[in-house]
Amino acid sequence: MKNHVATRFSGIKESATYAVLELVRELRAQGLPVLDLGGGEPDFATPRHIVAEANLALDEGFTHYSPSRGLPELLTAISRKLAEDNGIEADPAEGVIVTPSAKHALFITLMTLLDPGDELLVPTPSWVSYQSMAHLAGARPVAVPLGADDGFRITRKALEGQLSPRTKALLVNSPNNPTGRTLDAQEARVIADFVQEHELFAVADEIYEKIRYAGAPHLSIAALPGCAERTVTVNGFSKGYAMTGWRLGYAAGPARIMTEMLKVQQHSVGCAGSFVQRGGLAALTGPQEPVAEMAAAYTRRMELITDGLNSLPGVGCARPSGGFYAFPDIRGTGFASSEAFAGWLLREAHVAVMPGTAFGPGGEGHIRLSFATSEAVIEEALGRMAKALATAPRP
Ligand code: PMP
Ligand code: GLU
């Protein structure tokens, strides 16, 4: 028997977000009063009408495989949503695939687009899984470091700085995890020109689309002139509809890409859960008030947490325009690294946050706090942080 596992896993780190989610669970099991601002997951329950539809589906015995691409009614609802909300034309018969999670949609997108040795440009700081997914596809993720000083704006200079003959695709996440930035019109133009000039694919992760502040618009790359034919849009139900545990997402793009991607779906997972998809259908076609109510709650929490962070000594936090993460600059606190700060905060104040380094180049000097949690928890966490910064011994 050969005694080593596949080498493509070497160099791939455990998901930092899952590591924190699990650490919090462990510490709580030991009885520690940990406040979790680490992993990003809505605290809201899934809206009742969505749960009711999935329950009905189960009661009806709707428990078999669905078509690999997804339930036809859901594909149609997604296609309509993309047209109405995003200005994206996606053919429900050939241009959309329903996946068990946006994460899986991203995974099969990268498996479909990237050959071994290809390079995927990922503006950083970025969500923890993109780079590892590119590695799993045998490709090379290439960070495009963005600067905190101009609010992590994507510029032509930054993109061109990392371009090579092997560059195959650009991945853009807006609203952004962890920076909270949403694309503005100028950045969108830069991205559209860049991918066309260099004949690249674009992957647009729009999972936080429903959560935006101060009237920030949501710009979809696939809707920009000349981009539809080269862009895969990924979205899902986890964040906007508070459906993380359901594992439901989708990818949409040109038929020539989606036809290949369907094979990856067929041979990896088959299809998303059938009754889960019925819940997704209710989410898209039912009342949208619960989404608006959650977005309003996130707005209050965003103001509370950014104001609170800005009142802490050595901490500076810009207001995010989307998503549910605050990404403050903590360099003024005097800690040697964001990891040292996050570790100290967990030990001294029992407040879990993510160190900025988990999000790649550009993340150092920052921490990420998820405010997908109640105002009471946010207030308590801010209080504990203030007290620890004033009194707790430093490492
Ligand atoms: N993209 C980003 C930026 C995320 O933060 C997440 C959250 N896990 C996902 C994709 C995946 O979402 P899910 O798999 O729950 O649909
Ligand atoms: N997206 C969330 C986060 O960034 C959940 C964990 C994950 O899927 O990585 O914390």
Side-chain angles (χ1 to χ4, degrees):
M1 186 179 76
K2 297 273 166 60
N3 63 359
H4 59 82
V5 297
T7 47
R8 68 177 166 283
F9 294 107
S10 59
I12 295 181
K13 290 192 221 111
E14 186 189 357
S15 161
T17 44
Y18 262 83
V20 170
L21 284 164
E22 271 147 37
L23 179 62
V24 167
R25 234 172 254 145
E26 249 170 61
L27 293 174
R28 282 181 176 159
Q30 290 167 22
L32 288 177
V34 178
L35 298 177
D36 186 11
L37 280 70
E41 149 149 55
D43 58 329
F44 298 111
T46 303
R48 291 303 315 162
H49 68 282
I50 301 174
V51 174
E53 178 61 22
N55 276 334
L56 180 66
L58 281 168
D59 287 341
E60 285 172 356
F62 201 75
T63 53
H64 298 274
Y65 293 137
S66 83
S68 186
R69 191 183 286 285
L71 291 179
E73 305 88 316
L74 181 56
L75 293 167
T76 301
I78 291 168
S79 169
R80 193 168 301 143
K81 179 254 177 255
L82 289 169
E84 283 168 10
D85 294 358
N86 309 104
I88 296 173
E89 256 181 62
D91 176 2
E94 289 196 303
V96 184
I97 298 177
V98 178
T99 52
S101 79
K103 204 175 235 181
H104 192 73
L106 284 160
F107 186 73
I108 62 175
T109 298
L110 298 184
M111 290 296 277
T112 304
L113 297 181
L114 303 175
D115 270 320
D118 282 348
E119 293 179 357
L120 171 73
L121 294 180
V122 183
T124 61
S126 70
W127 180 50
V128 297
S129 288
Y130 303 133
Q131 308 218 9
S132 299
M133 286 182 190
H135 274 302
L136 286 169
R140 209 167 78 82
V142 175
V144 178
L146 305 177
D149 296 341
D150 64 351
F152 302 105
R153 154 182 295 278
I154 295 175
T155 63
R156 176 171 274 274
K157 191 162 163 243
L159 293 173
E160 280 180 348
Q162 303 303 325
L163 189 69
S164 92
R166 293 307 312 252
T167 308
K168 182 83 165 288
L170 167 67
L171 193 155
V172 177
N173 169 219
S174 175
N176 189 274
N177 172 9
T179 67
R181 187 178 181 89
T182 50
L183 285 180
D184 64 26
Q186 196 195 346
E187 280 173 297
R189 244 188 329 271
V190 164
I191 291 164
D193 290 347
F194 180 77
V195 293
Q196 284 175 87
E197 263 167 47
H198 301 290
E199 303 201 335
L200 306 178
F201 290 115
V203 180
D205 178 353
E206 307 191 351
I207 186 93
Y208 293 97
E209 174 195 6
K210 302 275 179 201
I211 305 163
R212 283 175 285 125
Y213 309 110
H218 176 70
L219 300 178
S220 290
I221 293 173
L224 302 172
C227 286
E229 72 213 44
R230 56 182 71 252
T231 303
V232 176
T233 304
V234 170
N235 207 329
F237 298 79
S238 283
K239 313 291 169 164
Y241 293 96
M243 291 173 68
T244 45
W246 296 62
R247 314 312 295 131
L248 191 63
Y250 54 90
R256 72 182 168 110
I257 299 174
M258 304 311 288
T259 304
E260 298 308 307
M261 202 187 296
L262 186 61
K263 297 176 193 166
V264 192
Q265 162 105 334
Q266 287 173 349
H267 291 299
S268 57
V269 69
C271 62
S274 50
F275 50 90
V276 168
Q277 293 185 65
R278 286 272 296 271
L281 182 61
L284 289 184
T285 57
Q288 299 301 302
E289 285 78 10
V291 177
E293 279 160 25
M294 289 188 273
Y298 287 129
T299 303
R300 290 192 298 276
R301 295 164 174 191
M302 182 276 286
E303 288 168 358
L304 179 68
I305 200 164
T306 48
D307 290 351
L309 288 166
N310 280 320
S311 72
L312 298 176
V315 179
C317 188
R319 288 205 162 175
S321 46
F324 45 56
Y325 304 104
F327 198 59
D329 185 332
I330 49 125
R331 283 172 292 185
T333 57
F335 281 80
S337 68
S338 65
E339 216 153 310
F341 184 90
W344 171 82
L345 202 58
L346 187 56
R347 282 192 309 278
E348 297 296 334
H350 298 141
V351 175
V353 301
M354 294 291 303
T357 41
F359 307 99
E364 184 53 291
H366 292 72
I367 55 168
R368 188 194 79 175
L369 301 95
S370 162
F371 51 87
T373 187
S374 71
E375 287 176 53
V377 167
I378 293 168
E379 267 167 11
E380 168 78 16
L382 288 166
R384 289 194 199 175
M385 287 174 79
K387 188 162 164 239
L389 282 167
T391 59
R394 303 287 179 93

